[in-house]
Amino acid sequence: MDVGGDTRRRLVVIGHGPAGHRLVEALRERDTAGAWQITVIGEETRPAYDRVALTSYLTEDAELAFPAHGPGVRLHTGDPVTGIDRAARTVTTASGAVVGYDALVLATGSSPFVPPVPGRDLPGVFVYRTIDDLDALRAHCAARPDAGGVVVGGGLLGLEAARALQGLGVDTHVVEVAPWLMPRQLDEGGGAMLRRHIESLGLTVHAGTPMAGLEAGPDGGVARVRLSDGSAIESSVVVFSAGIRPRDELARGCGLPVGERGGIVVDATCRTADPAVWAVGECALVDGQVYGLVGPCFTMAEVVADRLLAEATGGPGQAAFGGADTSTKLKLMGVDVASFGDPFADRAEGTLGVTYTDPVGGVYKKLVVSDDARTLLGGVLVGDATTYPTLRAYVGAELPGSPEQTLFGGTEPAGGDLPGATVICSCNNVSAETIRCSIRDEGLTDVAAVKGCTRAGSSCGSCVPLVKKLLDAELVAAGIEVSKAICEHFEHSRAELFDIVRVRRITTFTQLINEHGRGRGCDICKPAVASILASLGNGHILDGEQAALQDTNDHFLANLQKNGTYSVVPRIPGGEITPDKLIVIGEVARDFGLYTKITGGQRIDLFGARVDQLPQIWKRLVDAGFESGHAYGKALRTVKSCVGSTWCRFGVQDSVAMAIRLELRYRGLRAPHKLKSAVSGCARECAEAQSKDFGVIATERGWNLYLAGNGGMRPRHADLFASDLDDETLIRYIDRFLMFYIRTADRLQRTASWLEGLDGGIDYLREVIVEDRLGICAELDAAMERHVAAYSDEWRDTLADPDKLRRFVSFVNAPTVPDPSIAFAPERDQIKPVLLAGPQLEVVSR
Amino acid sequence: MTADVQTGPAHAVPAPTTTRWHEVCAYEDLLPERGACALLEGIQVAIFRTFDGELFALSNFDPFSGAYVIARGILGTRGGTPTVASPMYKQVFDLRTGRCLDDTEVALPTFGVRRTPAGRVEVAL
Ligand code: SRM
Ligand SMILES: Cc1cc2nc3c(=O)[nH]c(=O)nc-3n(C[C@H](O)[C@H](O)[C@H](O)COP(=O)(O)OP(=O)(O)OC[C@H]3O[C@@H](n4cnc5c(N)ncnc54)[C@H](O)[C@@H]3O)c2cc1C
Ligand code: SF4
Ligand code: FES
């Protein structure tokens, strides 16, 4: 590598992890004069990527690469630096390259610590740090279905690794030496509660028992983990996640001071004992501490960028590292755990610990406050971490209410009260003041803009709710009303628009926007208004102007897939289907070469249809007696059923018949969001009715009705609304519930969050639906009767209308030509979509 | 995108050399406030007719999803700018310049488009 006869200063960065990457970006951003010429040398074969999101590489094949550095940065990967000659100011790499520097930054990060136990080098033993580690782990597990596995270490990373390993189909055990999980963040009570959550995920926990060693099986690979109490865990894969060690070997090799327990010693400007050498990130020992979180690593990188620039330009370098927030939140789906500030501060004199335990709900919370109970010092949240972003921001500041109120979530502070110095985003070290200023100075009006401008919220994302609060408070202060406006085209909320359309009998979008809005609408208000018009019964959703309002799914009456093809879901009410109809679905799929899959909604999805094939496919299905399943619509999806009293020896009512009756009654009903339902034949609840928008469970005397349940991202158990109902009362209540929801909910608000936001909750809902407190029941009943009477199958109607059919072509100028960009590859005897490379992006210069 | 990517020369956008106008369809074939796609010399062009009758033509390739779907997006306005939203991940593009309003480093190629006196729609490559 030749650095050329350039007169600019030469900066060499060793290590291209998050810290090295951020340093280069920060310097490039500020060094507009190009004072520094930058060379980065990395050991990994790929450029820097988002290590924090590493697990999503395993679980979702996520793309982790950070944006490439712009021109002018030389990046040399796959070649570790092996030595530093401080006298000559050069570094040497494994391949023999020698590179000279004027300034050198060590950003070598850390490596996983593998305790010196017998068997640690056996095949089948892994660490969890790089993409290469994960590739090796995945390949190993793929070759061993049904394997047992052990993760050594029950800390943040260990639990994340354990869940990922489980995702690879491995029956996973976690071995933790300390008496409870996450001992560095949690106290004993929190650790015990966390264990219950972890075990309910199907992971087995061994805490308080050190490991004695690993034993090999007949194939020479690891087969067993032996614990010090003599017991053994069968496991053909072992992942060590027992802490990290700073990679300070280069510093040691060239005589730079390192800490007693490792880490390159630096001052508050991140400079080592040699003024030409700096260290940032997890390899650095600053303030006597090595930080294992990305936030402080970024801060150090920013500090050094500032100092380097000052050095080159003779300006005043001011940035210094002043300690960092070490609050953490576990990134496990379904387990809420967080600690913030100093969670162990209550071990000191003059502090108070306030705890709250709910063994039934699995919730444990602790706040540590100063002895006047006003200043928040730290705390722990297990089982419910919704208040984490706010509490974290209050560390070191005065609480707005008493600790008890805060624990019970009674006083959700408005973002406006937060002191300016409070760090809102600890990943990127952004304070409340910085966010407020940029909102004011740049005139920002949404969270995306704040993210782009300040970087707050762009890493782990846990601070986003708080960023939103700050934004709202700023907007209110600026006299900009934080309106419920659905988008820039209407001042109104969805519920208000619904009433306007209903009361004024408006039937077109054009009329509505001319009289009550501005501009020409967008992809937010148009589908919302289309849905309102449909809920109020305005004919076929593709009639006249309505067609132009629909999202592509509703426009083609099918679901868009990643390669531009669509999926087809015929309705199968209650999940009941005759063999003949099953055969038709099979034949259609075979004849059109579609991928078929049983959905989670008890029906069959056919994937990979081009728009021009949709009418032909539906012609066959409609002729065989199928109708639209509305999988594409914000409408009733499915009413799942269990087999019920007809066959099941425990069933007490005919759940299939009731499910079919409900599905046929509400099919085609357009709503603010999709609607799902299920009917179970007895209390064993095989249809999972309590996770549905409306669920029905049979009793000896009739039906229990459950409302506002939800699966999905934030599951919610439905609330029992009424018991032992007869068929007719059941249906009347559901009619009213649905119509009331359709009238009053926000756009894309499921019934669960609608009910949570409804003043008075389920009791109020009972007053409205059962006691007719608002005097609107007759209206709601009539609206549902109109829906039922007006129902007709959208696909049958479309097939009968040549005007509508004309849209189902890939190309207007060549209606018979299939889209050549659509391609498939075989997989497990079916097809899967393949994306072809597209045209080059046109990049607009800034 | 993974190893499955193949390159098809038919999908590349050629460098603009000489302008050739291609007849696509009748103006009336285009629904107001909706798009349609034309295949011209192997290039997919998304053509839009806005509510006031204006025509726009952009590449049909959505750079964010890698699928050819722009023509199926919803039209609208953002602060007076006529827009289309990709139906896949909803990024919004300026119909006049192709520029993405949610990520200013990205723009869709645009094409000339006109309505002939005979009521036909033509696109320039
Ligand atoms: C096909 C299917 C997966 C499967 O192969 O099993 C599926 C596929 C999709 N689901 Fe689902 N969901 C499917 C069952 C479910 C279930 C299970 C169920 O219905 O019992 C759930 C959890 C239950 C629930 O919704 O409460 C489910 C929760 C979601 C969510 C999260 C909803 C929430 O409130 O959090 C989304 C996202 C959304 O709608 O905003 C979603 C969104 C989607 C979308 C529409 C995403 C998209 O925009 O591409 C998928 C497209 C459907 C398609 O292309 O046909 N899907 N989805 C299932 C179709 C069921 C059916 O026959 O209609
Ligand atoms: C699975 C996982 C989940 C995590 N989750 C979170 C989280 O939720 N929140 C959080 O704050 N942090 C999290 N972290 C920690 C976070 O990833 C680290 O703090 C961050 O990566 C540190 O950045 P770094 O650049 O200092 O070091 P590293 O990321 O370790 O990068 C150092 C780079 O230098 C290279 N290198 C080392 N020696 C040499 C040499 N001699 N020559 C050339 N190159 C060399 C290494 O190969 C490596 O690529 C997580 C880490 C893991 C592994
Ligand atoms: S819910 Fe009851 S009736 Fe239905 S299958 Fe289960 S046990 Fe049988
Ligand atoms: S705290 Fe992680 S992104 Fe803000």
Side-chain angles (χ1 to χ4, degrees):
Chain A
M1 263 177 297
D2 162 35
V3 283
D6 204 311
T7 56
R8 295 184 294 163
R9 294 183 186 228
R10 298 160 305 164
L11 169 66
V12 171
V13 180
I14 307 179
H16 203 220
H21 181 272
R22 173 60 69 92
L23 170 77
V24 173
E25 283 299 284
L27 186 58
R28 262 178 24 83
E29 232 168 66
R30 291 171 218 173
D31 182 14
T32 41
W36 286 100
Q37 187 214 59
I38 309 172
T39 304
V40 187
I41 307 173
E43 167 191 67
E44 290 187 68
T45 49
R46 47 178 68 74
Y49 52 87
D50 188 1
R51 205 177 301 290
V52 171
L54 194 62
T55 295
S56 61
Y57 172 78
L58 208 57
T59 50
E60 302 151 28
D61 273 329
E63 176 55 66
L64 303 182
F66 284 133
H69 301 302
V73 178
R74 298 167 190 221
L75 177 61
H76 186 66
T77 54
D79 191 14
V81 171
T82 48
I84 300 172
D85 182 341
R86 293 204 279 126
R89 295 208 169 168
T90 57
V91 303
T92 308
T93 72
S95 72
V98 178
V99 185
Y101 64 82
D102 297 309
L104 177 67
V105 178
L106 294 159
T108 47
S110 59
S111 54
F113 171 62
V114 179
V117 291
R120 51 178 259 174
D121 297 322
L122 288 173
V125 178
F126 298 88
V127 292
Y128 197 85
R129 178 87 197 169
T130 65
I131 289 187
D132 286 344
D133 292 339
L134 266 53
D135 282 337
L137 179 64
R138 184 182 351 222
H140 182 82
C141 294
R144 286 165 193 74
D146 307 323
V150 167
V151 172
V152 182
L156 271 173
L157 290 187
L159 292 176
E160 191 176 319
R163 191 73 168 131
L165 191 59
Q166 192 185 31
L168 294 177
V170 176
D171 178 19
T172 305
H173 294 244
V174 178
V175 175
E176 168 59 52
V177 194
W180 62 84
L181 296 172
M182 287 179 60
R184 271 179 297 281
Q185 290 87 13
L186 299 185
D187 59 359
E188 186 170 2
M193 196 63 85
L194 174 60
R195 178 178 184 142
R196 286 180 39 193
H197 286 281
I198 294 295
E199 287 178 337
S200 74
L201 295 174
L203 294 163
T204 312
V205 178
H206 310 258
T209 330
M211 194 179 45
L214 310 181
E215 295 167 13
D219 65 352
V222 67
R224 199 165 305 106
V225 172
R226 180 75 62 190
L227 301 183
S228 59
D229 63 4
S231 63
I233 309 163
E234 297 302 313
S235 61
S236 50
V237 47
V238 173
V239 178
F240 276 98
S241 185
I244 53 171
R245 291 292 176 268
R247 293 193 58 178
D248 53 15
E249 61 271 12
L250 287 175
R252 285 175 197 269
C254 67
L256 286 171
V258 295
E260 214 170 285
R261 288 163 55 224
I264 306 165
V265 176
V266 294
D267 63 16
T269 68
C270 296
R271 205 190 278 256
T272 67
D274 178 342
V277 185
W278 314 72
V280 298
E282 286 193 347
C283 64
L285 183 75
V286 54
D287 259 2
Q289 211 181 330
V290 167
Y291 289 92
L293 292 170
V294 77
C297 296
F298 284 158
T299 309
M300 291 183 227
E302 301 270 355
V303 168
V304 172
D306 179 78
R307 294 286 168 168
L308 285 174
L309 193 63
E311 200 163 278
T313 58
Q318 295 201 320
F321 186 84
D325 178 11
T326 50
S327 303
T328 40
K329 186 160 183 282
L330 186 60
K331 305 191 296 290
L332 278 192
M333 279 294 271
V335 185
D336 261 7
V337 192
S339 81
F340 47 91
D342 178 0
F344 302 118
D346 54 337
R347 291 175 185 166
E349 287 284 317
T351 60
L352 300 170
V354 184
T355 58
Y356 163 77
T357 313
D358 167 11
V360 182
V363 178
Y364 174 88
K365 300 183 183 184
K366 178 176 86 169
L367 290 190
V368 186
V369 290
S370 58
D371 58 3
D372 60 0
R374 295 175 70 174
T375 308
L376 180 63
L377 302 174
V380 168
L381 303 170
V382 180
D384 172 13
T386 41
T387 49
Y388 168 70
T390 315
L391 287 175
R392 190 182 65 178
Y394 267 98
V395 171
E398 207 164 286
L399 280 173
S402 73
E404 306 85 82
Q405 281 171 322
T406 312
L407 267 186
F408 287 107
T411 44
E412 264 279 281
D417 328 340
L418 282 167
T422 328
V423 173
I424 301 294
C425 174
S426 58
C427 285
N428 298 286
N429 194 21
V430 188
S431 68
E433 195 47 37
T434 308
I435 294 176
R436 287 192 188 117
C437 287
S438 64
I439 294 171
R440 262 177 252 147
D441 300 348
E442 313 285 329
L444 309 180
T445 53
D446 59 28
V447 173
V450 178
K451 258 193 205 174
C453 195
T454 64
R455 282 213 173 96
S458 59
S459 300
C460 75
S462 67
C463 59
V464 170
L466 210 53
V467 172
K468 171 90 177 90
K469 276 195 177 162
L470 282 179
L471 177 67
D472 288 351
E474 267 322 295
L475 293 181
V476 170
I480 303 170
E481 201 184 324
V482 190
S483 64
K484 290 179 126 188
I486 177 163
C487 65
E488 69 173 60
H489 303 102
F490 291 97
E491 299 292 347
H492 312 278
S493 67
R494 179 195 170 277
E496 288 164 354
L497 283 179
F498 192 97
D499 279 335
I500 293 172
V501 173
R502 182 174 62 90
V503 175
R504 313 237 159 136
R505 297 181 195 278
I506 289 174
T507 56
T508 66
F509 180 78
T510 297
Q511 186 190 353
L512 183 68
I513 197 159
N514 286 346
E515 293 172 12
H516 301 275
R518 68 176 93 84
R520 271 314 291 182
C522 63
D523 61 313
I524 294 180
C525 59
K526 280 183 167 179
V529 172
S531 158
I532 292 172
L533 292 172
S535 294
L536 288 168
N538 280 281
H540 196 282
I541 62 162
L542 299 183
D543 278 347
E545 195 199 65
Q546 275 191 71
L549 307 177
Q550 309 292 353
D551 200 1
T552 189
N553 283 7
D554 282 293
H555 195 73
F556 287 115
L557 307 165
N559 291 48
L560 178 65
Q561 304 298 320
K562 61 198 285 182
N563 65 339
T565 60
Y566 289 78
S567 79
V568 167
V569 188
R571 187 168 295 292
I572 300 180
E576 183 187 82
I577 184 165
T578 62
D580 282 340
K581 281 185 145 180
L582 268 179
I583 289 168
V584 171
I585 292 188
E587 286 173 346
V588 169
R590 186 195 54 207
D591 296 351
F592 288 89
L594 305 174
Y595 167 80
T596 55
K597 179 180 179 301
I598 311 287
T599 73
Q602 296 190 346
R603 48 191 186 170
I604 301 172
D605 204 341
L606 316 177
F607 296 82
R610 298 188 314 264
V611 281
D612 47 289
Q613 292 177 314
L614 289 170
Q616 304 164 38
I617 291 170
W618 272 103
K619 170 92 178 56
R620 295 266 301 269
L621 292 171
V622 168
D623 285 348
F626 285 104
E627 57 178 25
S628 167
H630 293 102
Y632 47 80
K634 301 293 174 239
L636 178 78
R637 295 288 168 84
T638 64
V639 182
K640 305 212 282 192
S641 76
C642 75
V643 64
S645 59
T646 317
W647 289 89
C648 178
R649 62 212 158 105
F650 297 112
V652 292
Q653 304 282 350
D654 185 351
S655 48
V656 178
M658 180 53 82
I660 294 174
R661 183 167 172 194
L662 295 177
E663 184 154 345
L664 296 183
R665 183 168 180 83
Y666 304 123
R667 63 187 163 181
L669 180 66
R670 288 290 195 293
H673 207 315
K674 58 192 174 190
L675 289 166
K676 298 181 176 187
S677 174
V679 184
S680 281
C682 84
R684 287 169 190 75
E685 241 285 70
C686 301
E688 302 170 307
Q690 289 168 94
S691 67
K692 298 298 173 211
D693 296 281
F694 55 105
V696 178
I697 302 179
T699 69
E700 299 280 352
R701 284 178 301 273
W703 307 99
N704 284 354
L705 173 59
Y706 291 81
L707 295 181
N710 207 139
M713 213 134 48
R714 210 163 64 85
R716 178 182 191 275
H717 263 277
D719 293 323
L720 178 60
F721 179 79
S723 309
D724 296 325
L725 303 173
D726 60 46
D727 290 11
E728 300 319 313
T729 314
L730 173 74
I731 285 172
R732 190 161 358 103
Y733 286 175
I734 299 175
D735 284 357
R736 292 174 183 173
F737 165 70
L738 291 176
M739 279 301 170
F740 189 47
Y741 159 70
I742 287 172
R743 272 194 187 188
T744 56
D746 276 339
R747 182 185 84 93
L748 298 186
Q749 186 178 39
R750 293 280 298 263
T751 56
S753 63
W754 170 72
L755 181 64
E756 277 166 10
L758 199 65
D759 241 353
I762 190 91
D763 295 324
Y764 173 71
L765 195 59
R766 248 181 234 115
E767 289 174 19
V768 173
I769 290 176
V770 181
E771 294 154 28
D772 198 8
R773 169 169 164 181
L774 300 180
I776 55 170
C777 283
E779 245 178 74
L780 299 177
D781 292 346
M784 189 60 85
E785 283 315 324
R786 276 197 301 276
H787 162 76
V788 174
Y791 170 81
S792 110
D793 174 25
E794 276 163 11
W795 260 110
R796 173 183 292 276
D797 298 342
T798 302
L799 291 172
D801 183 343
D803 252 5
K804 295 194 174 87
L805 284 177
R806 278 199 309 128
R807 288 168 210 160
F808 290 83
V809 294
S810 296
F811 305 110
V812 261
N813 64 331
T816 55
V817 177
D819 184 344
S821 77
I822 290 171
F824 300 103
E827 183 171 75
R828 293 187 295 277
D829 301 328
Q830 298 204 62
I831 55 163
K832 69 168 180 187
V834 171
L835 290 176
L836 301 178
Q840 281 294 301
L841 282 193
E842 206 171 279
V843 176
V844 182
S845 56
R846 286 186 215 216
Chain B
M1 258 173 276
T2 52
D4 286 324
V5 177
Q6 305 163 0
T7 13
H11 305 298
V13 175
T17 43
T18 48
T19 303
R20 299 177 303 281
W21 286 96
H22 293 257
E23 189 186 307
V24 172
C25 60
Y27 181 76
E28 297 308 323
D29 289 340
L30 300 175
L31 291 179
E33 282 195 89
R34 204 76 210 182
C37 184
L39 186 63
L40 303 172
E41 296 183 12
I43 300 168
Q44 295 201 16
V45 180
I47 303 166
F48 302 97
R49 168 177 166 186
T50 55
F51 87 105
D52 51 6
E54 234 185 304
L55 291 174
F56 296 98
L58 286 74
S59 164
N60 193 38
F61 180 75
D62 174 10
F64 294 98
S65 65
Y68 289 76
V69 294
I70 294 295
R72 301 180 208 151
I74 291 183
L75 298 191
T77 54
R78 188 181 278 186
T81 305
T83 58
V84 60
S86 165
M88 197 66 84
Y89 301 123
K90 315 288 179 198
Q91 286 86 1
V92 171
F93 299 89
D94 184 337
L95 282 177
R96 297 172 308 198
T97 61
R99 200 180 182 109
C100 177
L101 299 179
D102 297 322
D103 181 345
T104 50
E105 291 199 16
V106 174
L108 302 178
T110 57
F111 301 88
V113 58
R114 67 187 180 195
R115 180 183 180 181
T116 67
R120 307 295 295 177
V121 174
E122 293 184 344
V123 169
L125 287 188

